[in-house]
Amino acid sequence: MDSVPAYMQCGSVVSVRGGIVDVRFGSRVPLIHSLLRTGKHESIVIEVLSQLDEHSVRGIALTPTQGLARGMPVRDTHGPLMVPVGHATLSRMFDVFGNAIDRQAPPDVVQWRSAHQAPPPLANRSAKAEIFETGIKVIDVLMPLERGGKTGLLGGAGVGKTILLTEMIHNVAGEHQGVSIFCGIGERCREGEELYRDVVNAGVLQNMVMVFGQMNEPPGARFRVGHAALTMAEYFRDDEHRDVLLLVDNIYRFIQAGMEVSGLMGQMPSRLGYQPTMSTELAQLEERIASTDTGAITSIQAVYVPADDFTDPAAVHTFSHLSASIVLSRKRASEGFYPAIDPLRSSSKMATPGVIGRRHYDIAQAIRRTLAQYAELKDIIAMLGLEQLPPEDRNVVARARRLERFLTQPFFTTEHFTGIKGKLVSLKDALEGCERILGDEFQDFPERALYMIGRIDEVKNENKAGLR
């Protein structure tokens, strides 16, 4: 690279259209994904997206283009977007370029790697379907996550998405000795600051890396921040052989950023204005999230569904990559059932007898059946009262209400403001509790005895202590 003559490394700006910049070079054009630098102190960074002819390239600016004008000199860096990787990145917050944005000194980084990495080859992938235990009862029993899989988290503001994510970070660090990476795509600065404060208060920052592409940044930066976070995650999976939990908020904003880039590049839009390359761009990101023989990247992605239309192309393409979906309910949050997960609307492709086993599958199906019957009976109860139901239906209601309360759980990350000690419950204990409730073992116990506990044995302990 150093032997390339200076005149071959420099070009000049031909046109600037928003975040799209055309650059002309003397003889040798830069490669696709090469970074170009221009402007005062070379502060404007451009990534090459297409070669227009033998002398010209078109790129997307990853930084604001204020002050950029025709004729300005442009330097080819002869390399792609680079990201810092290594143990020193833990507990730090970065932007898309790997600059620390947490007001601390730059980390002592071991090495820098390209943000554009190929997915692991099929030969290196783990063919075994494994369950990723979270220690959260309702998730592990009814919608088990796949190790190395992708899970969609659907829910509005204020229903507990951040609390659920921070609890998973805590459990992954404690139970799996894993690393968590949070990737904020198009994140509001308020959301980023609140999340940073939450993870500090919860004591989970030391096992976490945060990467942000803020909402006010150019579409190019928002489009590449997901690739930057994945490169950091791949280091911990492939080099340190650790399990990684990758949290993405919000995958729809990645598609939106790609739509902006595509429009600025002059590509013909596809259905509903989406970019014609949406499927490819999403697959390039999602296929890097995988389980290999040495480690796994398990991803939980917040998904915004435009106008609640599940036939929207963005939703269709996103859901095709997911192995599970967790739906948060505002109604359940208002009733005090935390985590506020709707068990009937949430699902997992792992919930089959061949993966989770016949006993687990039968218990999960019995729970869903009981809760569905209770949902159907709610209107009758509201009109006529519980006493008017036949005895069998009253038993179903009693089981369902006890199951709903048993599937609540105190979190470690909320101890400081609830005063209730957090509980991590193994899948074995969660299944045992549900099975015993379905068998009417606790029909003589008050419903409140099962609310916000860990293992089912705590019910009898509390009642022995005089709480009955």
Side-chain angles (χ1 to χ4, degrees), residues 350-375:
M350 294 291 103
T352 61
V355 176
I356 60 177
R358 173 55 66 180
R359 175 173 172 262
H360 184 170
Y361 176 78
D362 288 342
I363 292 171
Q365 289 299 99
I367 293 169
R368 287 184 183 278
R369 196 160 48 245
T370 304
L371 295 176
Q373 286 176 282
Y374 177 43

mmCIF file with all atom_site columns, all heavy atoms in Angstrom, residues 350-375:
data_model
loop_
_atom_site.group_PDB
_atom_site.id
_atom_site.type_symbol
_atom_site.label_atom_id
_atom_site.label_alt_id
_atom_site.label_comp_id
_atom_site.label_asym_id
_atom_site.label_entity_id
_atom_site.label_seq_id
_atom_site.pdbx_PDB_ins_code
_atom_site.Cartn_x
_atom_site.Cartn_y
_atom_site.Cartn_z
_atom_site.occupancy
_atom_site.B_iso_or_equiv
_atom_site.pdbx_formal_charge
_atom_site.auth_seq_id
_atom_site.auth_comp_id
_atom_site.auth_asym_id
_atom_site.auth_atom_id
_atom_site.pdbx_PDB_model_num
ATOM 1   N N   . MET A 1 350 ? -38.157 -23.346 18.443 1.00 0.00 ? 350 MET A N   1
ATOM 2   C CA  . MET A 1 350 ? -37.492 -24.385 19.227 1.00 0.00 ? 350 MET A CA  1
ATOM 3   C C   . MET A 1 350 ? -38.486 -25.234 20.004 1.00 0.00 ? 350 MET A C   1
ATOM 4   O O   . MET A 1 350 ? -38.132 -26.314 20.489 1.00 0.00 ? 350 MET A O   1
ATOM 5   C CB  . MET A 1 350 ? -36.502 -23.747 20.213 1.00 0.00 ? 350 MET A CB  1
ATOM 6   C CG  . MET A 1 350 ? -35.325 -23.044 19.577 1.00 0.00 ? 350 MET A CG  1
ATOM 7   S SD  . MET A 1 350 ? -34.186 -24.195 18.793 1.00 0.00 ? 350 MET A SD  1
ATOM 8   C CE  . MET A 1 350 ? -34.630 -23.974 17.081 1.00 0.00 ? 350 MET A CE  1
ATOM 9   N N   . ALA A 1 351 ? -39.711 -24.739 20.188 1.00 0.00 ? 351 ALA A N   1
ATOM 10  C CA  . ALA A 1 351 ? -40.701 -25.427 21.026 1.00 0.00 ? 351 ALA A CA  1
ATOM 11  C C   . ALA A 1 351 ? -41.310 -26.623 20.300 1.00 0.00 ? 351 ALA A C   1
ATOM 12  O O   . ALA A 1 351 ? -42.507 -26.677 20.031 1.00 0.00 ? 351 ALA A O   1
ATOM 13  C CB  . ALA A 1 351 ? -41.783 -24.446 21.469 1.00 0.00 ? 351 ALA A CB  1
ATOM 14  N N   . THR A 1 352 ? -40.475 -27.588 19.970 1.00 0.00 ? 352 THR A N   1
ATOM 15  C CA  . THR A 1 352 ? -40.928 -28.835 19.346 1.00 0.00 ? 352 THR A CA  1
ATOM 16  C C   . THR A 1 352 ? -40.388 -30.010 20.165 1.00 0.00 ? 352 THR A C   1
ATOM 17  O O   . THR A 1 352 ? -39.333 -29.885 20.806 1.00 0.00 ? 352 THR A O   1
ATOM 18  C CB  . THR A 1 352 ? -40.409 -28.948 17.898 1.00 0.00 ? 352 THR A CB  1
ATOM 19  O OG1 . THR A 1 352 ? -38.969 -28.948 17.920 1.00 0.00 ? 352 THR A OG1 1
ATOM 20  C CG2 . THR A 1 352 ? -40.891 -27.787 17.034 1.00 0.00 ? 352 THR A CG2 1
ATOM 21  N N   . PRO A 1 353 ? -41.085 -31.161 20.161 1.00 0.00 ? 353 PRO A N   1
ATOM 22  C CA  . PRO A 1 353 ? -40.632 -32.305 20.968 1.00 0.00 ? 353 PRO A CA  1
ATOM 23  C C   . PRO A 1 353 ? -39.214 -32.757 20.626 1.00 0.00 ? 353 PRO A C   1
ATOM 24  O O   . PRO A 1 353 ? -38.475 -33.202 21.511 1.00 0.00 ? 353 PRO A O   1
ATOM 25  C CB  . PRO A 1 353 ? -41.653 -33.402 20.638 1.00 0.00 ? 353 PRO A CB  1
ATOM 26  C CG  . PRO A 1 353 ? -42.845 -32.690 20.113 1.00 0.00 ? 353 PRO A CG  1
ATOM 27  C CD  . PRO A 1 353 ? -42.353 -31.445 19.458 1.00 0.00 ? 353 PRO A CD  1
ATOM 28  N N   . GLY A 1 354 ? -38.815 -32.628 19.362 1.00 0.00 ? 354 GLY A N   1
ATOM 29  C CA  . GLY A 1 354 ? -37.495 -33.084 18.952 1.00 0.00 ? 354 GLY A CA  1
ATOM 30  C C   . GLY A 1 354 ? -36.367 -32.251 19.527 1.00 0.00 ? 354 GLY A C   1
ATOM 31  O O   . GLY A 1 354 ? -35.238 -32.727 19.642 1.00 0.00 ? 354 GLY A O   1
ATOM 32  N N   . VAL A 1 355 ? -36.640 -30.981 19.900 1.00 0.00 ? 355 VAL A N   1
ATOM 33  C CA  . VAL A 1 355 ? -35.597 -30.088 20.411 1.00 0.00 ? 355 VAL A CA  1
ATOM 34  C C   . VAL A 1 355 ? -35.642 -30.000 21.928 1.00 0.00 ? 355 VAL A C   1
ATOM 35  O O   . VAL A 1 355 ? -34.637 -30.188 22.614 1.00 0.00 ? 355 VAL A O   1
ATOM 36  C CB  . VAL A 1 355 ? -35.723 -28.679 19.784 1.00 0.00 ? 355 VAL A CB  1
ATOM 37  C CG1 . VAL A 1 355 ? -34.689 -27.730 20.384 1.00 0.00 ? 355 VAL A CG1 1
ATOM 38  C CG2 . VAL A 1 355 ? -35.557 -28.745 18.271 1.00 0.00 ? 355 VAL A CG2 1
ATOM 39  N N   . ILE A 1 356 ? -36.826 -29.722 22.484 1.00 0.00 ? 356 ILE A N   1
ATOM 40  C CA  . ILE A 1 356 ? -36.911 -29.487 23.929 1.00 0.00 ? 356 ILE A CA  1
ATOM 41  C C   . ILE A 1 356 ? -37.324 -30.729 24.713 1.00 0.00 ? 356 ILE A C   1
ATOM 42  O O   . ILE A 1 356 ? -37.295 -30.718 25.942 1.00 0.00 ? 356 ILE A O   1
ATOM 43  C CB  . ILE A 1 356 ? -37.885 -28.323 24.238 1.00 0.00 ? 356 ILE A CB  1
ATOM 44  C CG1 . ILE A 1 356 ? -39.298 -28.643 23.730 1.00 0.00 ? 356 ILE A CG1 1
ATOM 45  C CG2 . ILE A 1 356 ? -37.367 -27.023 23.672 1.00 0.00 ? 356 ILE A CG2 1
ATOM 46  C CD1 . ILE A 1 356 ? -40.331 -27.570 24.072 1.00 0.00 ? 356 ILE A CD1 1
ATOM 47  N N   . GLY A 1 357 ? -37.721 -31.790 24.004 1.00 0.00 ? 357 GLY A N   1
ATOM 48  C CA  . GLY A 1 357 ? -38.123 -33.008 24.693 1.00 0.00 ? 357 GLY A CA  1
ATOM 49  C C   . GLY A 1 357 ? -39.632 -33.078 24.875 1.00 0.00 ? 357 GLY A C   1
ATOM 50  O O   . GLY A 1 357 ? -40.311 -32.059 24.945 1.00 0.00 ? 357 GLY A O   1
ATOM 51  N N   . ARG A 1 358 ? -40.141 -34.290 24.985 1.00 0.00 ? 358 ARG A N   1
ATOM 52  C CA  . ARG A 1 358 ? -41.590 -34.488 25.052 1.00 0.00 ? 358 ARG A CA  1
ATOM 53  C C   . ARG A 1 358 ? -42.196 -33.888 26.321 1.00 0.00 ? 358 ARG A C   1
ATOM 54  O O   . ARG A 1 358 ? -43.241 -33.259 26.289 1.00 0.00 ? 358 ARG A O   1
ATOM 55  C CB  . ARG A 1 358 ? -41.877 -36.003 24.960 1.00 0.00 ? 358 ARG A CB  1
ATOM 56  C CG  . ARG A 1 358 ? -43.313 -36.402 25.186 1.00 0.00 ? 358 ARG A CG  1
ATOM 57  C CD  . ARG A 1 358 ? -44.300 -35.691 24.283 1.00 0.00 ? 358 ARG A CD  1
ATOM 58  N NE  . ARG A 1 358 ? -44.146 -36.045 22.877 1.00 0.00 ? 358 ARG A NE  1
ATOM 59  C CZ  . ARG A 1 358 ? -44.913 -35.531 21.911 1.00 0.00 ? 358 ARG A CZ  1
ATOM 60  N NH1 . ARG A 1 358 ? -45.856 -34.638 22.203 1.00 0.00 ? 358 ARG A NH1 1
ATOM 61  N NH2 . ARG A 1 358 ? -44.713 -35.877 20.657 1.00 0.00 ? 358 ARG A NH2 1
ATOM 62  N N   . ARG A 1 359 ? -41.531 -34.069 27.473 1.00 0.00 ? 359 ARG A N   1
ATOM 63  C CA  . ARG A 1 359 ? -42.109 -33.557 28.727 1.00 0.00 ? 359 ARG A CA  1
ATOM 64  C C   . ARG A 1 359 ? -42.245 -32.040 28.698 1.00 0.00 ? 359 ARG A C   1
ATOM 65  O O   . ARG A 1 359 ? -43.296 -31.483 29.028 1.00 0.00 ? 359 ARG A O   1
ATOM 66  C CB  . ARG A 1 359 ? -41.237 -33.992 29.911 1.00 0.00 ? 359 ARG A CB  1
ATOM 67  C CG  . ARG A 1 359 ? -41.685 -33.405 31.245 1.00 0.00 ? 359 ARG A CG  1
ATOM 68  C CD  . ARG A 1 359 ? -40.896 -33.985 32.409 1.00 0.00 ? 359 ARG A CD  1
ATOM 69  N NE  . ARG A 1 359 ? -41.203 -33.298 33.651 1.00 0.00 ? 359 ARG A NE  1
ATOM 70  C CZ  . ARG A 1 359 ? -40.450 -32.326 34.175 1.00 0.00 ? 359 ARG A CZ  1
ATOM 71  N NH1 . ARG A 1 359 ? -39.332 -31.938 33.558 1.00 0.00 ? 359 ARG A NH1 1
ATOM 72  N NH2 . ARG A 1 359 ? -40.792 -31.751 35.321 1.00 0.00 ? 359 ARG A NH2 1
ATOM 73  N N   . HIS A 1 360 ? -41.164 -31.356 28.316 1.00 0.00 ? 360 HIS A N   1
ATOM 74  C CA  . HIS A 1 360 ? -41.198 -29.893 28.240 1.00 0.00 ? 360 HIS A CA  1
ATOM 75  C C   . HIS A 1 360 ? -42.280 -29.439 27.254 1.00 0.00 ? 360 HIS A C   1
ATOM 76  O O   . HIS A 1 360 ? -43.059 -28.520 27.541 1.00 0.00 ? 360 HIS A O   1
ATOM 77  C CB  . HIS A 1 360 ? -39.813 -29.378 27.805 1.00 0.00 ? 360 HIS A CB  1
ATOM 78  C CG  . HIS A 1 360 ? -39.695 -27.886 27.773 1.00 0.00 ? 360 HIS A CG  1
ATOM 79  N ND1 . HIS A 1 360 ? -38.485 -27.241 27.596 1.00 0.00 ? 360 HIS A ND1 1
ATOM 80  C CD2 . HIS A 1 360 ? -40.619 -26.894 27.865 1.00 0.00 ? 360 HIS A CD2 1
ATOM 81  C CE1 . HIS A 1 360 ? -38.686 -25.943 27.605 1.00 0.00 ? 360 HIS A CE1 1
ATOM 82  N NE2 . HIS A 1 360 ? -39.973 -25.702 27.750 1.00 0.00 ? 360 HIS A NE2 1
ATOM 83  N N   . TYR A 1 361 ? -42.352 -30.093 26.105 1.00 0.00 ? 361 TYR A N   1
ATOM 84  C CA  . TYR A 1 361 ? -43.343 -29.722 25.081 1.00 0.00 ? 361 TYR A CA  1
ATOM 85  C C   . TYR A 1 361 ? -44.770 -29.882 25.611 1.00 0.00 ? 361 TYR A C   1
ATOM 86  O O   . TYR A 1 361 ? -45.617 -28.998 25.438 1.00 0.00 ? 361 TYR A O   1
ATOM 87  C CB  . TYR A 1 361 ? -43.140 -30.587 23.832 1.00 0.00 ? 361 TYR A CB  1
ATOM 88  C CG  . TYR A 1 361 ? -44.163 -30.353 22.742 1.00 0.00 ? 361 TYR A CG  1
ATOM 89  C CD1 . TYR A 1 361 ? -44.074 -29.247 21.911 1.00 0.00 ? 361 TYR A CD1 1
ATOM 90  C CD2 . TYR A 1 361 ? -45.218 -31.248 22.549 1.00 0.00 ? 361 TYR A CD2 1
ATOM 91  C CE1 . TYR A 1 361 ? -45.005 -29.025 20.908 1.00 0.00 ? 361 TYR A CE1 1
ATOM 92  C CE2 . TYR A 1 361 ? -46.155 -31.039 21.554 1.00 0.00 ? 361 TYR A CE2 1
ATOM 93  C CZ  . TYR A 1 361 ? -46.049 -29.929 20.728 1.00 0.00 ? 361 TYR A CZ  1
ATOM 94  O OH  . TYR A 1 361 ? -46.981 -29.708 19.751 1.00 0.00 ? 361 TYR A OH  1
ATOM 95  N N   . ASP A 1 362 ? -45.041 -31.000 26.280 1.00 0.00 ? 362 ASP A N   1
ATOM 96  C CA  . ASP A 1 362 ? -46.394 -31.251 26.802 1.00 0.00 ? 362 ASP A CA  1
ATOM 97  C C   . ASP A 1 362 ? -46.781 -30.235 27.871 1.00 0.00 ? 362 ASP A C   1
ATOM 98  O O   . ASP A 1 362 ? -47.919 -29.764 27.912 1.00 0.00 ? 362 ASP A O   1
ATOM 99  C CB  . ASP A 1 362 ? -46.480 -32.673 27.380 1.00 0.00 ? 362 ASP A CB  1
ATOM 100 C CG  . ASP A 1 362 ? -46.471 -33.741 26.291 1.00 0.00 ? 362 ASP A CG  1
ATOM 101 O OD1 . ASP A 1 362 ? -46.740 -33.382 25.121 1.00 0.00 ? 362 ASP A OD1 1
ATOM 102 O OD2 . ASP A 1 362 ? -46.194 -34.921 26.601 1.00 0.00 ? 362 ASP A OD2 1
ATOM 103 N N   . ILE A 1 363 ? -45.826 -29.889 28.754 1.00 0.00 ? 363 ILE A N   1
ATOM 104 C CA  . ILE A 1 363 ? -46.108 -28.889 29.795 1.00 0.00 ? 363 ILE A CA  1
ATOM 105 C C   . ILE A 1 363 ? -46.406 -27.531 29.161 1.00 0.00 ? 363 ILE A C   1
ATOM 106 O O   . ILE A 1 363 ? -47.369 -26.844 29.536 1.00 0.00 ? 363 ILE A O   1
ATOM 107 C CB  . ILE A 1 363 ? -44.928 -28.785 30.784 1.00 0.00 ? 363 ILE A CB  1
ATOM 108 C CG1 . ILE A 1 363 ? -44.801 -30.077 31.599 1.00 0.00 ? 363 ILE A CG1 1
ATOM 109 C CG2 . ILE A 1 363 ? -45.091 -27.582 31.716 1.00 0.00 ? 363 ILE A CG2 1
ATOM 110 C CD1 . ILE A 1 363 ? -43.545 -30.147 32.454 1.00 0.00 ? 363 ILE A CD1 1
ATOM 111 N N   . ALA A 1 364 ? -45.584 -27.127 28.174 1.00 0.00 ? 364 ALA A N   1
ATOM 112 C CA  . ALA A 1 364 ? -45.788 -25.835 27.504 1.00 0.00 ? 364 ALA A CA  1
ATOM 113 C C   . ALA A 1 364 ? -47.146 -25.782 26.808 1.00 0.00 ? 364 ALA A C   1
ATOM 114 O O   . ALA A 1 364 ? -47.865 -24.768 26.873 1.00 0.00 ? 364 ALA A O   1
ATOM 115 C CB  . ALA A 1 364 ? -44.660 -25.575 26.509 1.00 0.00 ? 364 ALA A CB  1
ATOM 116 N N   . GLN A 1 365 ? -47.522 -26.869 26.135 1.00 0.00 ? 365 GLN A N   1
ATOM 117 C CA  . GLN A 1 365 ? -48.814 -26.907 25.452 1.00 0.00 ? 365 GLN A CA  1
ATOM 118 C C   . GLN A 1 365 ? -49.965 -26.862 26.443 1.00 0.00 ? 365 GLN A C   1
ATOM 119 O O   . GLN A 1 365 ? -50.985 -26.200 26.204 1.00 0.00 ? 365 GLN A O   1
ATOM 120 C CB  . GLN A 1 365 ? -48.916 -28.185 24.595 1.00 0.00 ? 365 GLN A CB  1
ATOM 121 C CG  . GLN A 1 365 ? -48.027 -28.186 23.362 1.00 0.00 ? 365 GLN A CG  1
ATOM 122 C CD  . GLN A 1 365 ? -48.358 -27.055 22.405 1.00 0.00 ? 365 GLN A CD  1
ATOM 123 O OE1 . GLN A 1 365 ? -47.694 -26.024 22.389 1.00 0.00 ? 365 GLN A OE1 1
ATOM 124 N NE2 . GLN A 1 365 ? -49.401 -27.236 21.621 1.00 0.00 ? 365 GLN A NE2 1
ATOM 125 N N   . ALA A 1 366 ? -49.816 -27.533 27.571 1.00 0.00 ? 366 ALA A N   1
ATOM 126 C CA  . ALA A 1 366 ? -50.869 -27.510 28.597 1.00 0.00 ? 366 ALA A CA  1
ATOM 127 C C   . ALA A 1 366 ? -51.031 -26.098 29.177 1.00 0.00 ? 366 ALA A C   1
ATOM 128 O O   . ALA A 1 366 ? -52.153 -25.645 29.437 1.00 0.00 ? 366 ALA A O   1
ATOM 129 C CB  . ALA A 1 366 ? -50.539 -28.509 29.703 1.00 0.00 ? 366 ALA A CB  1
ATOM 130 N N   . ILE A 1 367 ? -49.910 -25.392 29.375 1.00 0.00 ? 367 ILE A N   1
ATOM 131 C CA  . ILE A 1 367 ? -49.975 -24.013 29.886 1.00 0.00 ? 367 ILE A CA  1
ATOM 132 C C   . ILE A 1 367 ? -50.690 -23.117 28.886 1.00 0.00 ? 367 ILE A C   1
ATOM 133 O O   . ILE A 1 367 ? -51.592 -22.345 29.245 1.00 0.00 ? 367 ILE A O   1
ATOM 134 C CB  . ILE A 1 367 ? -48.553 -23.479 30.172 1.00 0.00 ? 367 ILE A CB  1
ATOM 135 C CG1 . ILE A 1 367 ? -47.918 -24.246 31.325 1.00 0.00 ? 367 ILE A CG1 1
ATOM 136 C CG2 . ILE A 1 367 ? -48.601 -21.983 30.493 1.00 0.00 ? 367 ILE A CG2 1
ATOM 137 C CD1 . ILE A 1 367 ? -46.440 -23.961 31.500 1.00 0.00 ? 367 ILE A CD1 1
ATOM 138 N N   . ARG A 1 368 ? -50.302 -23.213 27.613 1.00 0.00 ? 368 ARG A N   1
ATOM 139 C CA  . ARG A 1 368 ? -50.942 -22.384 26.578 1.00 0.00 ? 368 ARG A CA  1
ATOM 140 C C   . ARG A 1 368 ? -52.443 -22.681 26.497 1.00 0.00 ? 368 ARG A C   1
ATOM 141 O O   . ARG A 1 368 ? -53.258 -21.769 26.363 1.00 0.00 ? 368 ARG A O   1
ATOM 142 C CB  . ARG A 1 368 ? -50.277 -22.638 25.222 1.00 0.00 ? 368 ARG A CB  1
ATOM 143 C CG  . ARG A 1 368 ? -48.888 -22.038 25.082 1.00 0.00 ? 368 ARG A CG  1
ATOM 144 C CD  . ARG A 1 368 ? -48.334 -22.242 23.678 1.00 0.00 ? 368 ARG A CD  1
ATOM 145 N NE  . ARG A 1 368 ? -46.990 -21.730 23.574 1.00 0.00 ? 368 ARG A NE  1
ATOM 146 C CZ  . ARG A 1 368 ? -46.688 -20.439 23.369 1.00 0.00 ? 368 ARG A CZ  1
ATOM 147 N NH1 . ARG A 1 368 ? -47.652 -19.566 23.256 1.00 0.00 ? 368 ARG A NH1 1
ATOM 148 N NH2 . ARG A 1 368 ? -45.426 -20.055 23.279 1.00 0.00 ? 368 ARG A NH2 1
ATOM 149 N N   . ARG A 1 369 ? -52.785 -23.965 26.570 1.00 0.00 ? 369 ARG A N   1
ATOM 150 C CA  . ARG A 1 369 ? -54.194 -24.358 26.479 1.00 0.00 ? 369 ARG A CA  1
ATOM 151 C C   . ARG A 1 369 ? -54.982 -23.789 27.663 1.00 0.00 ? 369 ARG A C   1
ATOM 152 O O   . ARG A 1 369 ? -56.087 -23.255 27.493 1.00 0.00 ? 369 ARG A O   1
ATOM 153 C CB  . ARG A 1 369 ? -54.276 -25.885 26.445 1.00 0.00 ? 369 ARG A CB  1
ATOM 154 C CG  . ARG A 1 369 ? -55.603 -26.451 25.983 1.00 0.00 ? 369 ARG A CG  1
ATOM 155 C CD  . ARG A 1 369 ? -55.466 -27.892 25.525 1.00 0.00 ? 369 ARG A CD  1
ATOM 156 N NE  . ARG A 1 369 ? -54.721 -28.712 26.462 1.00 0.00 ? 369 ARG A NE  1
ATOM 157 C CZ  . ARG A 1 369 ? -53.540 -29.268 26.191 1.00 0.00 ? 369 ARG A CZ  1
ATOM 158 N NH1 . ARG A 1 369 ? -52.976 -29.100 25.005 1.00 0.00 ? 369 ARG A NH1 1
ATOM 159 N NH2 . ARG A 1 369 ? -52.917 -30.021 27.079 1.00 0.00 ? 369 ARG A NH2 1
ATOM 160 N N   . THR A 1 370 ? -54.406 -23.869 28.850 1.00 0.00 ? 370 THR A N   1
ATOM 161 C CA  . THR A 1 370 ? -55.075 -23.360 30.061 1.00 0.00 ? 370 THR A CA  1
ATOM 162 C C   . THR A 1 370 ? -55.261 -21.846 29.979 1.00 0.00 ? 370 THR A C   1
ATOM 163 O O   . THR A 1 370 ? -56.348 -21.322 30.280 1.00 0.00 ? 370 THR A O   1
ATOM 164 C CB  . THR A 1 370 ? -54.253 -23.738 31.314 1.00 0.00 ? 370 THR A CB  1
ATOM 165 O OG1 . THR A 1 370 ? -54.061 -25.150 31.344 1.00 0.00 ? 370 THR A OG1 1
ATOM 166 C CG2 . THR A 1 370 ? -54.943 -23.281 32.572 1.00 0.00 ? 370 THR A CG2 1
ATOM 167 N N   . LEU A 1 371 ? -54.201 -21.127 29.573 1.00 0.00 ? 371 LEU A N   1
ATOM 168 C CA  . LEU A 1 371 ? -54.286 -19.665 29.487 1.00 0.00 ? 371 LEU A CA  1
ATOM 169 C C   . LEU A 1 371 ? -55.253 -19.226 28.393 1.00 0.00 ? 371 LEU A C   1
ATOM 170 O O   . LEU A 1 371 ? -55.950 -18.211 28.539 1.00 0.00 ? 371 LEU A O   1
ATOM 171 C CB  . LEU A 1 371 ? -52.890 -19.075 29.238 1.00 0.00 ? 371 LEU A CB  1
ATOM 172 C CG  . LEU A 1 371 ? -51.867 -19.260 30.370 1.00 0.00 ? 371 LEU A CG  1
ATOM 173 C CD1 . LEU A 1 371 ? -50.508 -18.709 29.963 1.00 0.00 ? 371 LEU A CD1 1
ATOM 174 C CD2 . LEU A 1 371 ? -52.341 -18.580 31.653 1.00 0.00 ? 371 LEU A CD2 1
ATOM 175 N N   . ALA A 1 372 ? -55.304 -19.980 27.282 1.00 0.00 ? 372 ALA A N   1
ATOM 176 C CA  . ALA A 1 372 ? -56.232 -19.650 26.194 1.00 0.00 ? 372 ALA A CA  1
ATOM 177 C C   . ALA A 1 372 ? -57.683 -19.851 26.642 1.00 0.00 ? 372 ALA A C   1
ATOM 178 O O   . ALA A 1 372 ? -58.562 -19.026 26.325 1.00 0.00 ? 372 ALA A O   1
ATOM 179 C CB  . ALA A 1 372 ? -55.926 -20.508 24.967 1.00 0.00 ? 372 ALA A CB  1
ATOM 180 N N   . GLN A 1 373 ? -57.949 -20.935 27.381 1.00 0.00 ? 373 GLN A N   1
ATOM 181 C CA  . GLN A 1 373 ? -59.303 -21.175 27.893 1.00 0.00 ? 373 GLN A CA  1
ATOM 182 C C   . GLN A 1 373 ? -59.705 -20.072 28.871 1.00 0.00 ? 373 GLN A C   1
ATOM 183 O O   . GLN A 1 373 ? -60.851 -19.601 28.853 1.00 0.00 ? 373 GLN A O   1
ATOM 184 C CB  . GLN A 1 373 ? -59.367 -22.538 28.596 1.00 0.00 ? 373 GLN A CB  1
ATOM 185 C CG  . GLN A 1 373 ? -59.349 -23.722 27.642 1.00 0.00 ? 373 GLN A CG  1
ATOM 186 C CD  . GLN A 1 373 ? -59.321 -25.045 28.420 1.00 0.00 ? 373 GLN A CD  1
ATOM 187 O OE1 . GLN A 1 373 ? -58.282 -25.464 28.925 1.00 0.00 ? 373 GLN A OE1 1
ATOM 188 N NE2 . GLN A 1 373 ? -60.460 -25.694 28.513 1.00 0.00 ? 373 GLN A NE2 1
ATOM 189 N N   . TYR A 1 374 ? -58.760 -19.638 29.708 1.00 0.00 ? 374 TYR A N   1
ATOM 190 C CA  . TYR A 1 374 ? -59.033 -18.548 30.663 1.00 0.00 ? 374 TYR A CA  1
ATOM 191 C C   . TYR A 1 374 ? -59.361 -17.249 29.926 1.00 0.00 ? 374 TYR A C   1
ATOM 192 O O   . TYR A 1 374 ? -60.286 -16.519 30.312 1.00 0.00 ? 374 TYR A O   1
ATOM 193 C CB  . TYR A 1 374 ? -57.832 -18.378 31.583 1.00 0.00 ? 374 TYR A CB  1
ATOM 194 C CG  . TYR A 1 374 ? -57.936 -17.243 32.568 1.00 0.00 ? 374 TYR A CG  1
ATOM 195 C CD1 . TYR A 1 374 ? -59.119 -16.997 33.269 1.00 0.00 ? 374 TYR A CD1 1
ATOM 196 C CD2 . TYR A 1 374 ? -56.852 -16.404 32.816 1.00 0.00 ? 374 TYR A CD2 1
ATOM 197 C CE1 . TYR A 1 374 ? -59.210 -15.957 34.185 1.00 0.00 ? 374 TYR A CE1 1
ATOM 198 C CE2 . TYR A 1 374 ? -56.938 -15.363 33.729 1.00 0.00 ? 374 TYR A CE2 1
ATOM 199 C CZ  . TYR A 1 374 ? -58.121 -15.142 34.408 1.00 0.00 ? 374 TYR A CZ  1
ATOM 200 O OH  . TYR A 1 374 ? -58.218 -14.109 35.306 1.00 0.00 ? 374 TYR A OH  1
ATOM 201 N N   . ALA A 1 375 ? -58.620 -16.978 28.846 1.00 0.00 ? 375 ALA A N   1
ATOM 202 C CA  . ALA A 1 375 ? -58.884 -15.766 28.063 1.00 0.00 ? 375 ALA A CA  1
ATOM 203 C C   . ALA A 1 375 ? -60.304 -15.787 27.467 1.00 0.00 ? 375 ALA A C   1
ATOM 204 O O   . ALA A 1 375 ? -60.982 -14.754 27.414 1.00 0.00 ? 375 ALA A O   1
ATOM 205 C CB  . ALA A 1 375 ? -57.845 -15.627 26.948 1.00 0.00 ? 375 ALA A CB  1
#
